[in-house]
Each structure stands twice: as C-alpha cells, then as structure tokens.
Amino acid sequence: MVVAAPPGLTREEVLRRVERGQSNRTGDQASRSVRDILKANLLTRFNALLGSMLVVILIVGPIQDSVFGLILVFNALIGIAQELRAKMTLDRLAIVAAPRATVIRDGNTLRIPVGEVVQDDLLRLDVGDEVVVDGSLESHGPIEVNEALLTGEADAVAKRSGDPLLAGSFVTAGGGLYRATQVGEATYARRLTIEARRFQLVRSGLMRGINQILRLVTWIIVPTALLLVVSQLRANPSLADAARASVAGVITLVPEGLVLLTSASLALAVIRLGRRKVLVQQLAAVEMLARANVVCFDKTGTLTEAEIRVADVQALDREADWEGALGAIAHLDPHPNASMLALRQAYAAPLGWEAESSVPFSSDRKWAAVRFAGRGWWVVGAPDVVAPDQDGYVQGQRAMLLAQARQVDPAAGITDPRPAALVTLTESVKPSAGATLRQLEDAGVAIKIISGDHPTVVARIAGQVGLKSVEALDGRTLPASDAALAEIVTRASIFGRVKPEQKRALVRALRLAGYTVAMAGDGVNDVLALKEADIGIALGGGSTAARAVAACVLTDGSFDGVPAVLAEGRRVIANVERLASLFFTKTVYAFLLALAVGVAVFPFPFLPRQLTLVSALTIGIPSAVFTLASRFTPSPVPFLRRVLIFAIPTGFVAAAATFTAYALAVNEPDIPINEERTVATLVMASIGLWVLARLSSPLTATRRALVAAMAVGLVLAMLIPQVRAFFELDWPRPMVVFAALGIIALALGVLEVGDRLIRGARLVRPPT
C-alpha cells in the first residue's frame, strides 16, 4: 500500500512565516556588494595618501603637477568597472547554479531556491542531496547521512523517523521527507555551510604576497617622507618648490595601481570563465588551480557519460527467478542511481513481489538489498563485494551481481550469498575526455583517476581516454597510514574500489607529499575529497552536496572547462607578478633616490608631472595591457621571492644611475634646474623601458609593439615643444647628454649581466 505524502504548508502559511522572518534567507551573496566594491577601491590608505598629496599640489600649484590625480581616479574607475562587471557575471552564474531544495506545499512537489525554505516546510531528500536546513526526519524509509563536513566523521549515520538532521550533512543512501525546524542564521552549520559560497579575495596567495609588499611600503613611506620634507625645505628656495618636490618623492613610493590592477586581473578571469560556463565560488580558486600540479578525477559522470545501459545478463542459477528480482528491486528503489535506472529500462516491475524491508544502496557498501515476502533476501551490487570469491566475473566491464542471501545487515554485511545472475553494464566515455586530459598533461599537470568501480573497469576507461599508465590499484589493498599512502599515490595514477573516505585520504596524501591538488567530481562519494583538496571542482549536473563544497562549478556539466580554469589562473599569476615587479621596482628606486637626495641635500630630481610621464610610459599603460596577457609558465619559486629578486637589484641600479646622472648635472656650472631634471627623467625612463621589455618576456609581436610604442612616446615628449613645455623638460647641453647616455649604457649592461646570472642560477626561471 502506497502512503500519500503529507500536503506540507499552504501558501498562506508560507507567507506568514516569511513575514515573521522565519525563512532561510541569510543575506549571503556569491559576490561582493556594490558598496563593498566601492569601499575596497576608493577607501584605501594609499588613495588617502595620494589624495592628500593632490590637495597640496592644488594649493601650491601649478595645476600641471596634479596630473597624477587623474591617474589615481582613472585607476579607481578601472578597478570599480571591472569588479562590477565580474559581479554581474558571477551573480548571473550563481543564479543558474544556485542550490535548490525540493519542498512539498499544498500537496505539490516544488523545486525552490534554498533561501525560500521556511520554518516547518516539508522537504524531500534523495541520494546526493544536501540537507539545507536543520530538521527532523518524518518518513519511515531507510536513510543514511554523512555528517563529515560538520563532525569530521566519515562513517554514514543511519537515521530513523524523528531523528534530527543537520544542515551541511548529505544523504549517502536512501531518502525521505524531513520537517524544517531551524532555518537561516539559526541552523547549526551556519558558519560551515556559507564558507564555500562567499566571494573571497583575502585568502589568495597572490593577495597575501601583495599585502606583504604593501605593509613593507607603508613602513618605509613615513620616515622617507619626513626625510624628504626636511631635505627639500633646506634645498629649495621657496616653500612651494619644497612642497612640490616632497610630493613628487612621496607619490613615487606609492604602488598606487597595484591592488586595483590585481583585482582587475582576477575580475577579468571571472568574466572569461563565466563565458565558459564556469562558476567561481571562491575567487582565489582561479589562482589555486593555476598552481595545481595534480588533478584527481572521479570516473563515472566525469570521464564517462552519466547514463549507462544493460549490455548482457548471464544466468548463474537457472532455477532462480532472477528477472523478477532485478525488476522488483529496480522499481522498488525510490532513489535509483544510474545502475538501477538501467535495470528499470531493461526489466518491468513483476507482480507478486511484496517488499518487507530493505537496505538502500550506498557508495560505501556498494550494494542494496530487499527482503521480499516468501522469497527472502535479494542483494544486487558490485560482484567482488557481494560475493568476493566470484571476482572472476568482472572482465574489464562494469557489472552487477544479483544474489540471494540467508541474512543481510547494513553493518554485519551479507550472509551466505548465492549468485543468481551477472549483469554487464555498458558506459560510454565522454567524447572530449581524452583531449581534455591531454591538455592538462601538456600543461605539466599529473592525472589521477580515483573511482569506486572495480580496478579493471577503471583501467579500461583509463586506456580509452589515452592515459599512459593503465595499471589500476585496488583500494581495498591500500595502507591506512598517510606516509605509506603518500608513497603509493605519488607513483600510481589509477585507483579502483576506493571508498569515499579513501578518496579523501588519497587527496590528503598527495597534499602531504607536497602537491597542490585539484579534485573534480560530481557524486556524493566525491564530497569529502572535494573538500579536502586545495581546490574542488564540481560538475553542474552532479549532486547538490558536491556543488556546495566545491570552489568551482562547471555549470554545463562538462569538465572540458578544467584546462580553461588552469589557463586563466596562470594568466592571473603571470600578470600580477609583472604588475608587482613593475610597481615594487618603482618603490625601491624611489626609496633609494629619496635617501640619496636627502643625504646630499639636493632638490628632488623630478616634478610630479615628470614622474607622471615616466610612470605612464613604463608602468601605467603597460600595466593595463598586462592584465590581458595570456602566456605563463608555472614556477616553483614563491611569488613574493620572485618579485623581490627582480625588484630590489633593478631598483638599486635605477636609483644609482639616476642619482649619478643628476649629481653630475647639478655639479656642472650654470645648468638650469629644468635641464638637471630632464637628465634624471631620461635616465629613469630609459631604465624603465628596459624593465618593461624584461617583464614582457617572451617578446611576442604585440609586446614588442608595446615597448616600441612607449619608447616612441618618450621621444615624442622630448621632440614636441608643447609637450616638452607642459612637462618642463629642456634639452640638456651635449656634454651632459653624452654623460647621461654613458650612464644609461652602463646601467643597462649591469642589469643585463645581473639578469643573466639570476636566470642562470634558476632563482626566477620557470621550469620548462
């Protein structure tokens, strides 16, 4: 007899609870709010510093020296525009991939966003579903849930009618109905379940390195600014000249566009990935996958199509009614997996098979069982698990063994199984699977296939997708210790008969061995591994629980997007490294130059507008282009170390060359101050162009054009009288020009030799 489901809440009851604030809405969003974006891009300590410098210049004049204020505004607008664009992309994708809950209202079954669930709602759970609110189980059918994301305990917990269910757990076997008792902020797992869905920038390794640079800059700005102010008051004849010189020195220290352009690079990555149907639930995931050198894949639904079919059935006990048993078990299962659906298509529901009790299928047990009135227990599942002595049935094909048993218990297992029929199933490899894996291998990423299927089946699929190694290890023989497991998982690439907790252990072992691990999966048995990995990638058509814990969701259900995420992450790392090297080199030479000028009590060698010209040609315009760059080879050297190894010696040489040329001009009799500053500007700009060319390596046609255009811009600034007058640049005397050219040549020679030595020592050279 079929028991009708309770009608659930009525529409009026739902509206009353929403009015009382008893809904599951929490105010979370996949991206930052517009207010947060504006605050992050406008209210920064460097914007405050540069803004105050702008006010000083506007007071003392002339207006030409306030041009850097336009760059400040322009950089902020770029950052805001890019993040708003990324927000729209992220929010749109978040709506498409948002988790939904199945509720019963007015007797109808509805699929609604989890935020619309209200207190006392009646919800339906199936295998792979996440429990989205705290509740109480109401149905009497068998159900098992995994609470590992809450408690860390990997074993599934059996639940009976009246038992509590906690948000953040997920169903591993069976299914049924539960009543919502706590929603929204009141749920037990509130802090745990939102963590995987929030817009995050601060956990990025890139941003960690950037923040370290900014902290260092903050510490040196204050004493350097004080030194500049004192020295310029002594070296300049008027207060206005001293103020302009001090402002010029201070604004050079500030890497004003670094944070904004870093955010823009990450935001552009979100937009590009959105076009490829990839939802980034944590922004740092873009960067993390770029650093991944191992990607672990589940087989079913990831490498193979989710739908499978019955290919053949071999009767092992001709006296047993195996056809009736297969049809009865398949049609009685209220929450069928792909294998049960295949049996449903092949066999009709028989008459006279009345179920007395059942044990639902779980990925841990790998079998399901039903006791029929007058017919005893029937079990269907993995052949080597149902009847271990019959392992020879599997010959590289996915199979299910139907057996009768004297007794069945979820904990104790199967007693006295008697094989009745062997069902061979067929599954097809996704057409693009092989090409996708080859792209990852060509990018230097190792592939690991970790599946719950029989090792011979997994090995056959591995061969079909073109993996070099097709020897599969049996998960039942794997050691328990992390150290021993790490040694095995670094050598082997294919694993079968792996339980969900073993998947997590394999991922953990890879991480302990020093690898950065990405895990791609779609099933409930992948959830623990997805959470354990450095970055989890869920397929959009997979289980709700898998999508909830993953950092990236492939919304079209195809893992073809994994290489795209890898490429975008590497693009971001390359671009931000170039940006950081440019900006921090400027900070280093500005600091050293300020020290030298302060000790020598010289007027600062630049006006603010002259520094704006140099910065625009060697940093500002190229930085905007760098955010669009696409080529990058990963490096084992940490981000901050690579930046410092380049920026500190380069900044030292730039400062030494500029100060030397400037000092020679200052000591030359009857040289006007404008000519002295022009010498310093030409030396600094020339070295800046070398830095630009070096960081543009490899010099593609586009990058050559960029460097050439910036050099032409410098030449035109010197040749066009109106431009030269605006920037207060005057051609120095020939003798001073020749001395400056000699200093430039010497500085560039030193930089080239140092760069070759550093590359030869492999301090910053990426691996081939």
Side-chain angles (χ1 to χ4, degrees), residues 23-24 26 119 134 181-190:
S23 73
N24 201 41
T26 58
Q119 185 125 351
D134 291 354
T181 57
Q182 299 288 345
V183 295
E185 301 290 345
T187 59
Y188 171 75
R190 167 66 182 147

Side-chain angles (χ1 to χ4, degrees), residues 246-387:
S246 299
V247 168
V250 173
I251 64 174
T252 314
L253 287 167
V254 180
E256 66 274 4
L258 180 55
V259 176
L260 292 173
L261 288 171
T262 299
S263 297
S265 295
L266 291 167
L268 281 172
V270 171
I271 294 171
R272 292 190 187 103
L273 290 173
R275 292 171 183 160
R276 293 176 176 267
K277 308 298 183 184
V278 179
L279 169 63
V280 180
Q281 302 199 119
Q282 298 180 35
L283 202 57
V286 177
E287 172 200 343
M288 187 56 69
L289 187 55
R291 302 188 186 281
N293 43 27
V294 174
V295 178
C296 300
F297 288 102
D298 179 40
K299 177 185 70 68
T300 306
T302 307
L303 298 179
T304 63
E305 301 288 358
E307 183 179 354
I308 60 177
R309 301 182 304 278
V310 174
D312 185 38
V313 180
Q314 179 183 353
L316 305 176
D317 184 352
R318 299 194 178 276
E319 295 182 0
D321 186 2
W322 54 267
E323 289 188 0
L326 289 174
I329 293 174
H331 286 275
L332 282 170
D333 191 340
H335 313 282
N337 58 19
S339 299
M340 286 297 179
L341 288 175
L343 291 178
R344 281 190 180 186
Q345 293 176 355
Y347 298 98
L351 298 175
W353 289 71
E354 183 179 348
E356 294 181 334
S357 62
S358 63
V359 177
F361 178 86
S362 78
S363 55
D364 188 23
R365 284 190 298 269
K366 303 190 185 304
W367 54 263
V370 180
R371 186 175 67 190
F372 295 100
R375 302 175 188 271
W377 281 101
W378 288 81
V379 184
V380 63
D384 51 317
V385 176
V386 174

Side-chain angles (χ1 to χ4, degrees), residues 511-535:
R511 295 182 65 197
L512 289 175
Y515 293 96
T516 302
V517 184
M519 173 72 197
D522 67 340
V524 66
N525 59 331
D526 300 318
V527 172
L528 299 179
L530 288 169
K531 193 68 175 178
E532 180 68 33
D534 292 293
I535 170 174

Side-chain angles (χ1 to χ4, degrees), residues 91-259:
D91 289 347
R92 185 172 62 251
L93 282 174
I95 292 173
V96 173
R100 305 179 77 83
T102 302
V103 300
I104 298 174
R105 291 176 180 174
D106 290 317
N108 299 316
T109 301
L110 307 173
R111 291 281 291 171
I112 64 172
V114 296
E116 295 181 9
V117 175
V118 300
Q119 185 125 351
D120 300 319
D121 246 331
L122 188 64
L123 296 95
R124 183 184 299 280
L125 288 174
D126 290 319
V127 175
D129 283 349
E130 181 187 10
V131 180
V132 296
V133 294
D134 291 354
S136 174
L137 186 63
E138 292 213 346
S139 59
H140 296 280
I143 183 172
E144 296 177 13
V145 299
N146 189 300
E147 299 175 344
L149 302 181
L150 301 172
T151 66
E153 177 56 53
D155 293 338
V157 180
K159 296 289 185 177
R160 298 177 177 83
S161 180
D163 286 349
L165 296 174
L166 298 178
S169 57
F170 55 92
V171 181
T172 59
L177 303 176
Y178 77 107
R179 184 78 62 180
T181 57
Q182 299 288 345
V183 295
E185 301 290 345
T187 59
Y188 171 75
R190 167 66 182 147
R191 292 185 179 88
L192 298 176
T193 55
I194 65 172
E195 189 63 27
R197 300 190 182 96
R198 292 184 62 86
F199 178 99
Q200 293 194 28
L201 191 61
V202 294
R203 294 191 177 188
S204 163
L206 286 178
M207 291 308 297
R208 222 171 17 243
I210 295 296
N211 287 335
Q212 288 177 292
I213 291 175
L214 295 181
R215 279 194 295 271
L216 178 60
V217 171
T218 302
W219 279 105
I220 67 175
I221 279 180
V222 175
T224 306
L226 292 175
L227 175 63
L228 271 174
V229 170
V230 172
S231 66
Q232 296 313 296
L233 287 173
R234 295 174 59 192
N236 286 279
S238 70
L239 179 62
D241 289 338
R244 282 197 299 271
S246 299
V247 168
V250 173
I251 64 174
T252 314
L253 287 167
V254 180
E256 66 274 4
L258 180 55
V259 176

Side-chain angles (χ1 to χ4, degrees), residues 481-569:
S481 73
D482 288 338
L485 198 59
E487 182 179 351
I488 291 174
V489 76
T490 54
R491 292 186 287 103
S493 299
I494 305 170
F495 301 86
R497 281 292 176 254
V498 179
K499 294 182 178 182
E501 61 269 23
Q502 286 182 304
K503 286 190 178 185
R504 177 171 63 177
L506 287 169
V507 170
R508 183 170 59 244
L510 283 167
R511 295 182 65 197
L512 289 175
Y515 293 96
T516 302
V517 184
M519 173 72 197
D522 67 340
V524 66
N525 59 331
D526 300 318
V527 172
L528 299 179
L530 288 169
K531 193 68 175 178
E532 180 68 33
D534 292 293
I535 170 174
I537 307 168
L539 274 66
S543 68
T544 304
R547 296 197 303 271
V549 301
C552 285
V553 178
L554 309 177
T555 59
D556 62 354
S558 170
F559 81 110
D560 300 354
V562 174
V565 182
L566 175 71
E568 284 302 330

